[in-house]
Amino acid sequence: QTLEDLMMNDAQCGGADTLDSAQTGRPVVFGLRAKDGCGYRSLTSTADDFDATVTYPMIFNVSAMEELETCPDFPQTRFPNISIAVHNGNLEGEEPAYCSSWSDVFVFSYTPTFFGEPLMSISYESGSSDAEKTLIDNVRVAVDTAPISSATTKVIGSVVDADDVHVVCEAGVESRFQVVAYDESGNRIMKHGDADKLAVNVMETPSAGYHIENATEPGVYDVFIIFATSGTFTLQVTLLNSTIYEGTVTCSGSMIRMMDQLNIDFPEARFEHTVVSYNDDLYVFGGAKSDKTYLDATLKFDLDIEESSMYYSFKRMVMVDSMPEEVFNVELHLDTEMLISSGKLKEDCSDLRFFTWEGDSTLPMWVEPSQAPAGCGSSSTSVWIRVPGGMERFWMYYGNKQATSMSDAVSVFGDMFEDFEYSESPLDMGWTLENATSDSCTPDAGYNPGEAASFYTSDLVSMTGTRSLRANIADFLGGSLEKAVPMMKRFTMKVYMYDLKCEGAHFVSPDFKVCQPADPLMGSAQYKAKLPNLDNGVGVYTSSDNDTYCVMYPWHSSTAVREHGWHSFTLRDDDEHLRIVYDEEMVLPLRAADVTTDITKIFLRAARLPDEDFSSVFWDSILITEYNPAVSSAYMEEQPVIFSREARWETVGVQNPPPARQAHTAVVYQTAMYIFAGERSAYQYSDIWRFDFESSSWEFQRPINSFDDLGRSDHSAVVYNHSMFVYGGRSPAALGDFWAYDFESKTWSRMPTSPGMMPRFGHSAAVSHNKMYVYGGYISEEGKLTDEIWSYAFEDMQWTKIGPRTNNFESNGSGDPSDAMLFPQEIPEARLSMTAVITGMEPALYIVGGIGGASMMEEQPDLWKFDIEQLEWKWMASNSLLARYDSAGALIADGSILVLFGGHGDGDFMSDAVFVYVGETGLQQSNH
């Protein structure tokens, strides 16, 4: 590039004080002026007299180990050096400037492409002198990453890694994927600040709701997304309006979920109460208990919905067979591969939780890391749970895309877990260096007390955390490192070794007895007597076999072929038989079938063997725990739930509450709940009470006017603008009147009715835009339930029978034929005492539960949606949790979830909370 090109490419120009910083992809330009020894301008130098480079330091390349098979250490590589171009004032190929006026000026330029801290050096050697002069000597340049680039930034996660038909999400349940930021040169950006540049679009479906947050790891962004409905869709992720990912995502339909009652004291069962929502908390008033006692309590259900990280979507019971009476570390084998691929579990298993059966506390647990053979993401992941004595069952929860990991090996194994997460010498952390000869106890190897420097922690590789123990006999003598543990006759010891496939002796043992120096004059019998022929261990012993992992004693090969990387060795003894297992699945052969031992130590050996190259290995995540062969664990069938440790019920508004009642209505206007009417002991109330959400206080509302026929129960009430509109009910006969109460003026007004609309009670009503929709109920004059839908237009004060109509041309107030439902279409069973709401970006009427059928007393276990624009019913779901009547519910989560509480069902009275997803017509758009 010419200097002009560089300058037009947003070059970084500066003097000597700016040479210590740069940015990838951005040219760096600076100049020098040549002077002679007397300080005058030197016009004789040329660009060829300068040697200028930017050199990156050597780094260990762990990922290259498997290909290079380099021993005894990881190969070291560096980013390519950068040659700094030198431009002279008299540009080559052009006429010299007047009188060589710029011959003493030299402009240097280079463009760093890799993040890091390279060193800049510039030296000068005149053609007239052999002496080289250093002008800039290894100045460290802090090269920062360039801005985020759409060409290199990556999108990762099970949602985006799946094939076209594999189900990875559930409609209405939060999923997650991640965006990893890179600059245009392919460097990872290790800082946040680009979330607002990202956007998500889901095609072929109503809008999905999503939000983007900074992940724990710098430069990584969590995208939490809720797909509005089931199906296969095109997911598109854009960065600065450029597409960085586009692929298909398949979601299943939403499940009906019950709020899990673990550790939550739910109120007593009730029916014919009311429920409203305010700021996503539920408020319950009145109703009757199972013994028909009327209630005047006001309850608040704090769902803590704004803390969505507290919610879990699935649970399973875990059963333990032959659980000891003392605390025991239970190993559970869990198919996390399936759970992750189906979108139910986070990719790092960080949303796994375990609770006691009563729910009073969490259970400490450790999930083996993803790079372990039985780690997170495998079909048989080892999860260790510390279980109190005698507890034969407990709970497992998962399905929370915002949860952070509680996996902690120390909380499970205590001092019996070693992960070398320290920079001090292991000799300062409870380990000792044993005096040792060679492993063969022969005098020719000589006495070797070991060298402490052979063992130190390293951050090159690790199984857990950031460090591991390096046993280095490439640069040091080696030796035997051990740590005493309480003696156990029945034990499990699991260790992880990073194998570099080098020669030497690197093994672990629970009982190794170190050979002691012997007198050569005593003869070979003494050496044989000192052989550790009853000791047991496993690892690398290339004097026996260089290609497989070996077992002692005596040393012999196995069928486990050595491979680069992390591997596990599990030694498990039941006091009758010792088993050594490689990578969770291969049992290694011992010297005899009846070998057994006691564990007394963790013994690690690093030794040079005759005529072999020196080498290193890494050890990490050593655990020891009691073993009981009779103990086994299994998890039961998956249950969809809503679970939160933070959700709480509380009693509010205890001062001056309204009289106890049932079958009343409750609506929300501004910052208050208003209840109206209801029944108690055959008395029909006509009063209005106001509950202020902010002060949690009740106040009776005395209207300016009143009417004798306002008293009622089993009616409907909705809010439009500044008024509450009340329709129908009974007192005790069915009513067909229509009223409006103005909240501001506290006045009642009688509203128009339709001659074709028979009096009814037990119906439901809801508002969309400028219309109220009334559905179902019982028409006493006809002695039957109805499946009619009527609408009332607030602006023109007109009723319309949407359907079903028997005759579109009768003059009965039905309205225009074009406003009627068209048939054939499937419609829900006529019913009463159901719950109905209108919600969605394309509003629809949803009805849930109720009673109906031929006997008019059959519980309806279904969810239906009525499309207000198309005038069509659609069956959505059936579930036994929906089979209830005289229940009450309200919308939360921007209207996407209907929560039902209480009611009658299955011949009993209910006190549960059921969550029903009703957001398939579209969800709230993104926020960052």
Side-chain angles (χ1 to χ4, degrees):
Q1 288 183 304
T2 66
L3 283 175
E4 182 179 5
D5 293 334
L6 292 171
M7 299 307 293
M8 293 181 65
N9 196 20
D10 190 30
Q12 171 184 311
C13 298
D17 58 342
T18 65
L19 296 183
D20 59 353
S21 63
Q23 185 183 85
T24 59
R26 184 184 183 191
V28 177
V29 179
F30 59 94
L32 294 178
R33 196 159 202 166
K35 295 185 178 182
D36 62 17
C38 296
Y40 295 105
R41 296 170 61 195
S42 175
L43 304 178
T44 60
S45 300
T46 67
D48 294 335
D49 295 335
F50 293 90
D51 182 15
T53 59
V54 174
T55 304
Y56 283 84
M58 298 290 287
I59 58 174
F60 287 100
N61 190 339
V62 175
S63 61
M65 172 55 67
E66 295 185 7
E67 300 176 2
L68 300 178
E69 300 193 5
T70 304
C71 187
D73 213 340
F74 292 105
Q76 295 190 62
T77 60
R78 61 158 57 98
F79 295 124
N81 294 342
I82 302 174
S83 295
I84 301 178
V86 185
H87 309 264
N88 186 239
N90 286 326
L91 300 178
E92 294 81 356
E94 298 183 11
E95 291 294 327
Y98 179 71
C99 294
S100 300
S101 57
W102 298 108
S103 296
D104 60 335
V105 174
F106 296 88
V107 178
F108 297 76
S109 65
Y110 73 98
T111 302
T113 54
F114 300 105
F115 169 80
E117 293 191 346
L119 301 176
M120 178 190 295
S121 298
I122 299 178
S123 60
Y124 169 80
E125 185 176 356
S126 172
S128 60
S129 172
D130 295 332
E132 184 178 82
K133 183 177 181 179
T134 300
L135 303 179
I136 296 178
D137 186 15
N138 289 332
V139 170
R140 189 174 301 278
V141 182
V143 180
D144 196 3
T145 50
I148 189 171
S149 170
S150 58
T152 53
T153 293
K154 300 177 181 178
V155 180
I156 61 174
S158 59
V159 172
V160 297
D161 292 339
D163 54 59
D164 290 353
V165 297
H166 183 64
V167 176
V168 295
C169 54
E170 176 188 339
V173 176
E174 193 170 64
S175 298
R176 184 196 73 146
F177 59 88
Q178 292 185 312
V179 177
V180 185
Y182 288 82
D183 69 10
E184 60 184 353
S185 299
N187 297 285
R188 271 287 310 277
I189 297 177
M190 302 303 292
K191 57 186 176 183
H192 289 126
D194 295 311
D196 59 347
K197 301 179 179 69
L198 296 166
V200 176
N201 183 34
V202 179
M203 306 173 194
E204 304 104 19
T205 181
S207 60
Y210 73 92
H211 64 279
I212 302 172
E213 296 182 4
N214 295 337
T216 303
E217 186 177 354
V220 180
Y221 302 92
D222 287 326
V223 181
F224 300 100
I225 184 168
I226 300 178
F227 293 90
T229 187
S230 60
T232 298
F233 317 112
T234 301
L235 173 67
Q236 184 183 68
V237 184
T238 61
L239 170 62
L240 297 171
N241 298 319
S242 296
T243 300
I244 59 174
Y245 171 83
E246 186 172 305
T248 55
V249 177
T250 301
C251 295
S252 64
S254 180
M255 302 181 190
I256 308 298
R257 286 177 159 79
M258 182 169 65
M259 169 64 83
D260 196 85
Q261 299 190 17
L262 189 69
N263 201 42
I264 301 178
D265 294 325
F266 266 67
E268 57 193 332
R270 65 197 61 213
F271 63 97
E272 291 214 89
H273 51 287
T274 54
V275 175
V276 301
S277 66
Y278 180 75
N279 287 343
D280 283 332
D281 293 326
L282 300 183
Y283 291 83
V284 178
F285 176 75
K289 298 195 300 185
S290 58
D291 62 0
K292 306 300 175 64
T293 300
Y294 292 89
L295 299 169
D296 65 356
T298 309
L299 306 176
K300 177 183 177 182
F301 192 13
D302 184 353
L303 296 171
D304 205 30
I305 194 98
E306 69 275 7
E307 298 293 339
S308 57
S309 62
M310 306 308 298
Y311 280 82
Y312 295 82
S313 299
F314 302 97
K315 77 171 182 178
R316 294 176 187 259
M317 186 197 317
V318 179
M319 302 292 295
V320 182
D321 190 29
S322 302
M323 178 67 193
E325 292 302 316
E326 302 80 24
V327 64
F328 191 80
N329 294 330
V330 173
E331 184 178 16
L332 177 70
H333 296 284
L334 181 64
D335 188 355
T336 60
E337 180 183 32
M338 179 272 295
L339 294 176
I340 292 171
S341 65
S342 62
K344 296 179 177 180
L345 182 69
K346 289 179 67 175
E347 290 83 354
D348 58 359
C349 299
S350 59
D351 51 336
L352 270 179
R353 297 290 188 271
F354 295 88
F355 292 90
T356 60
W357 181 255
E358 297 80 11
D360 52 357
S361 62
T362 58
L363 296 177
M365 60 98 178
W366 183 57
V367 184
E368 297 201 12
S370 57
Q371 55 187 329
C376 173
S378 69
S379 60
S380 184
T381 300
S382 287
V383 183
W384 296 87
I385 308 105
R386 190 163 182 80
V387 182
M391 183 175 288
E392 296 181 343
R393 56 184 181 174
F394 52 90
W395 295 107
M396 173 175 66
Y397 290 83
Y398 53 92
N400 181 343
K401 297 306 185 292
Q402 298 194 49
T404 56
S405 177
M406 292 184 65
S407 177
D408 180 13
V410 175
S411 69
V412 177
F413 305 105
D415 294 338
M416 308 294 275
F417 181 79
E418 173 64 272
D419 61 354
F420 305 103
E421 289 298 306
Y422 46 81
S423 57
E424 296 86 351
S425 167
L427 300 182
D428 297 328
M429 305 299 290
W431 292 83
T432 59
L433 188 68
E434 285 289 343
N435 294 330
T437 63
S438 69
D439 302 299
S440 60
C441 295
T442 56
D444 57 316
Y447 176 60
N448 172 14
E451 186 175 3
S454 307
F455 299 95
Y456 54 90
T457 65
S458 167
D459 60 1
L460 278 178
V461 291
S462 63
M463 172 58 65
T464 55
T466 60
R467 305 184 74 85
S468 61
L469 177 73
R470 183 168 190 172
N472 182 355
I473 55 173
D475 304 307
F476 305 101
L477 194 59
S480 302
L481 196 66
E482 74 171 45
K483 190 175 191 179
V485 299
M487 191 273 288
M488 296 183 194
K489 290 185 172 297
R490 300 195 302 184
F491 66 90
T492 294
M493 179 170 74
K494 179 180 286 189
V495 299
Y496 289 94
M497 182 183 75
Y498 192 99
D499 189 3
L500 296 172
K501 285 197 70 176
C502 300
E503 298 175 335
H506 294 282
F507 62 86
V508 61
S509 170
D511 58 3
F512 190 83
K513 301 175 185 64
V514 179
C515 301
Q516 299 299 319
D519 184 355
L521 299 178
M522 295 295 294
S524 61
Q526 182 187 19
Y527 310 140
K528 292 182 179 180
K530 289 182 176 291
L531 285 173
N533 60 335
L534 297 181
D535 294 342
N536 302 278
V538 61
V540 175
Y541 201 81
T542 52
S543 286
S544 178
D545 189 351
N546 194 44
D547 298 321
T548 68
Y549 295 105
C550 298
V551 182
M552 69 167 184
Y553 199 85
W555 284 107
H556 56 278
S557 63
S558 72
T559 56
V561 178
R562 292 180 62 191
E563 295 180 343
H564 285 99
W566 285 108
H567 300 282
S568 68
F569 297 109
T570 304
L571 294 85
R572 186 165 281 151
D573 199 305
D574 62 2
D575 201 26
E576 294 182 359
H577 301 91
L578 172 69
R579 282 165 54 93
I580 300 179
V581 180
Y582 164 72
D583 277 356
E584 308 297 332
E585 55 186 24
M586 183 180 295
V587 179
L588 304 185
L590 301 179
R591 60 181 178 270
D594 58 351
V595 172
T596 185
T597 189
D598 301 336
I599 188 170
T600 58
K601 65 179 75 174
I602 307 170
F603 180 90
L604 299 175
R605 177 69 169 160
R608 302 175 179 181
L609 298 178
D611 302 322
E612 292 187 346
D613 292 332
F614 305 156
S615 64
S616 293
V617 299
F618 296 81
W619 300 96
D620 202 4
S621 304
I622 303 174
L623 68 88
I624 298 172
T625 189
E626 182 183 356
Y627 174 57
N628 186 333
V631 177
S632 62
S633 63
Y635 50 88
M636 304 296 106
E637 184 178 356
E638 181 181 82
Q639 303 175 47
V641 295
I642 294 289
F643 173 65
S644 169
R645 291 276 288 173
E646 304 302 317
R648 290 291 181 270
W649 283 96
E650 60 178 312
T651 301
V652 295
V654 295
Q655 299 296 324
N656 189 37
R661 67 192 67 200
Q662 67 174 9
H664 53 286
T665 53
V667 297
V668 174
Y669 175 67
Q670 295 180 350
T671 61
M673 169 176 68
Y674 290 80
I675 68 162
F676 168 65
E679 176 270 337
R680 179 177 182 178
S681 301
Y683 176 75
Q684 305 291 336
Y685 285 102
S686 61
D687 53 350
I688 299 176
W689 289 75
R690 179 183 185 274
F691 176 80
D692 187 280
F693 293 118
E694 303 302 325
S695 63
S696 293
S697 60
W698 282 103
E699 181 183 8
F700 173 67
Q701 302 294 288
R702 188 177 303 277
I704 301 299
N705 61 341
S706 186
F707 298 86
D708 293 338
D709 50 353
L710 281 173
R712 67 197 59 221
S713 58
D714 289 324
H715 52 286
S716 64
V718 300
V719 172
Y720 178 74
N721 287 342
H722 302 292
S723 297
M724 173 177 68
F725 291 84
V726 176
Y727 175 76
R730 57 179 168 176
S731 182
L735 301 172
D737 52 353
F738 187 32
W739 297 86
Y741 174 78
D742 189 298
F743 291 112
E744 303 301 323
S745 66
K746 296 185 178 181
T747 57
W748 283 101
S749 301
R750 195 181 297 271
M751 303 298 292
T753 57
S754 171
M757 192 173 183
M758 304 288 288
R760 64 198 65 204
F761 64 87
H763 56 282
S764 295
V767 171
S768 175
H769 300 307
N770 61 350
K771 288 185 180 180
M772 176 180 71
Y773 294 82
V774 177
Y775 169 77
Y778 179 75
I779 301 177
S780 57
E781 291 185 22
E782 298 179 350
K784 67 176 184 180
L785 302 176
T786 181
D787 54 13
E788 293 175 348
I789 300 179
W790 287 78
S791 69
Y792 176 77
F794 291 107
E795 301 305 318
D796 57 17
M797 303 176 70
Q798 293 294 319
W799 285 93
T800 299
K801 184 179 181 181
I802 297 175
R805 297 184 187 178
T806 56
N807 189 334
N808 272 334
F809 302 99
E810 288 184 359
S811 178
N812 60 358
S814 295
D816 191 278
S818 64
D819 297 327
M821 296 164 52
L822 297 179
F823 287 86
Q825 65 169 291
E826 186 180 6
I827 64 174
E829 191 93 28
R831 64 192 71 195
L832 83 159
S833 299
M834 60 280 164
T835 301
V837 294
I838 289 180
T839 188
M841 294 186 67
E842 298 175 5
L845 171 70
Y846 294 83
I847 65 166
V848 183
I851 51 173
S855 67
M856 295 190 293
M857 289 300 293
E858 297 171 16
E859 296 153 4
Q860 303 299 303
D862 47 9
L863 167 69
W864 287 79
K865 180 181 80 170
F866 182 72
D867 188 316
I868 292 173
E869 293 297 323
Q870 300 299 320
L871 306 180
E872 291 179 351
W873 281 106
K874 179 182 180 182
W875 173 87
M876 301 300 296
S878 291
N879 190 291
S880 60
L881 293 174
L882 304 180
R884 62 185 66 212
Y885 64 98
D886 286 338
S887 179
L891 293 166
I892 62 170
D894 297 315
S896 64
I897 296 175
L898 169 63
V899 183
L900 303 174
F901 171 67
H904 291 282
D906 195 25
D908 203 355
F909 298 88
M910 297 180 166
S911 64
D912 57 353
V914 174
F915 285 59
V916 183
Y917 175 69
V918 289
E920 68 276 348
T921 65
L923 300 170
Q924 180 175 319
Q925 288 302 300
S926 65
N927 61 83
H928 296 284

